[in-house]
Amino acid sequence: MGKKYQYGLVLSGGGTRGFAHLGAIKALEENGIKPDIISGVSAGSIVGALYADGQDAEAALKALISKNLLGFLKLMIPKQGLLKMTGFERTLRKTLKAKRFEDLETPLLIHAVNINTVEYTRFDSGDLVEAIKASSSIPVVFPPVEIGGHQYMDGGIVNNFPVEPLIDQCETIIGINVNPVGKEYKITNLRTIAIRAFHLSMRNHAETRKKHCQIYIEPEKVEQFGILDMESAEEVFDIGYQKAREVLKKHN
């Protein structure tokens, strides 16, 4: 019996380094590869939702830049987090046609951590933006997101490369990891320290799971960019595009 899907796509977290996901997806499109199911976490959940919503890679890039995904983030007194997600939510709701998972053109799995029960939780139905917010809520930087009486945070805490749901389901699994961790010398404030600690904790997630991918794309050059850096979106997009082209050329 054949696999349920031809192509499955795994999208890691990595903040605004996620623009590299879009660049890589553009290269996939140019090679005639269209994912049949997507599993994403954090930044990967955002990109996955846009693509599953029917937007091509360049259209999604333009939409996010024009609306400035992070431009509405507001400082808040650090009881639960340093920033609140009001504008982030508003931007997503304006950008996505789909309101619920069931409205998407391509099946999408989004992952977050239930911090009440300490469970890695998969969302694949119901309100789409609430699930994206939960999956993207970086600890300390953002407050937890409440869904159904439980509080959720960035799924990357537990697994920043959610390949498991696609194993044995797809003929070809394509993994894109935009969270390589390089050297950082400008560690000057609490937010930088929190983000750095968070990403160091996730550095081995993809390493132990990439063996499940027939195609694995890791654009190492994105490590020079911060994870809340909207100004470099187009450059990060291009890095993802070039790396994916290089990998796909070897694969073909």
Side-chain angles (χ1 to χ4, degrees):
M1 186 175 175
K3 303 287 176 68
K4 187 174 181 181
Y5 303 104
Q6 182 177 7
Y7 291 111
L9 181 62
V10 184
L11 300 174
S12 78
T16 48
R17 294 172 179 175
F19 285 110
H21 283 318
L22 289 172
I25 287 171
K26 178 185 175 184
L28 293 177
E29 291 172 340
E30 290 178 351
N31 280 266
I33 297 172
K34 180 170 173 48
D36 302 296
I37 185 170
I38 301 167
S39 178
V41 65
S42 198
S45 75
I46 301 170
V47 171
L50 289 165
Y51 193 69
D53 198 37
Q55 298 191 38
D56 67 38
E58 290 194 323
L61 174 69
K62 288 174 184 174
L64 292 180
I65 291 174
S66 65
K67 292 182 173 67
N68 193 352
L69 186 64
L70 299 178
F72 297 106
L73 292 173
K74 297 177 181 176
L75 285 170
M76 63 187 293
I77 298 170
K79 279 187 178 179
Q80 291 183 302
L82 302 180
L83 300 168
K84 59 184 179 180
M85 303 179 85
T86 311
F88 176 75
E89 177 177 357
R90 190 182 307 125
T91 300
L92 284 174
R93 292 199 186 279
K94 285 181 180 177
T95 305
L96 291 163
K97 299 191 300 289
K99 306 302 178 191
R100 300 173 61 81
F101 281 86
E102 292 83 353
D103 302 328
L104 294 168
E105 295 181 10
T106 303
L108 174 67
L109 313 175
I110 287 178
H111 306 271
V113 175
N114 183 325
I115 60 174
N116 299 112
T117 63
V118 202
E119 293 175 309
Y120 192 66
T121 304
R122 182 173 90 188
F123 293 95
D124 55 15
S125 62
D127 190 291
L128 180 59
V129 170
E130 286 300 304
I132 295 171
K133 281 171 55 188
S135 183
S136 304
S137 183
I138 299 171
V140 183
V141 179
F142 300 116
V145 174
E146 185 172 320
I147 299 175
H150 289 256
Q151 291 184 306
Y152 293 89
M153 296 209 77
D154 195 311
I157 300 169
V158 173
N159 181 358
N160 198 44
F161 194 75
V163 68
E164 286 82 355
L166 304 188
I167 296 171
D168 297 326
Q169 296 293 309
C170 307
E171 296 288 346
T172 300
I173 297 177
I174 302 161
I176 308 175
N177 175 36
V178 298
N179 191 48
V181 180
K183 295 178 181 179
E184 174 62 68
Y185 296 102
K186 296 177 182 177
I187 301 176
T188 56
N189 56 53
L190 178 60
R191 192 173 75 174
T192 305
I193 293 167
I195 292 169
R196 183 73 173 167
F198 177 56
H199 280 267
L200 285 170
S201 74
M202 298 188 304
R203 68 185 303 169
N204 291 324
H205 293 182
E207 283 300 310
T208 58
R209 292 174 169 89
K210 67 183 183 183
K211 64 185 178 185
H212 298 293
C213 300
Q214 284 71 49
I215 301 173
Y216 181 75
I217 300 164
E218 183 176 282
E220 298 87 355
K221 291 180 181 178
V222 299
E223 69 185 22
Q224 64 189 291
F225 300 97
I227 66 162
L228 296 176
D229 178 7
M230 286 294 294
E231 293 181 1
S232 303
E234 290 176 305
E235 190 175 353
V236 172
F237 177 96
D238 189 60
I239 288 171
Y241 173 66
Q242 296 299 340
K243 182 64 178 183
R245 285 188 67 192
E246 175 190 320
V247 171
L248 291 168
K249 189 175 180 180
K250 290 178 183 176
H251 184 76
N252 293 333

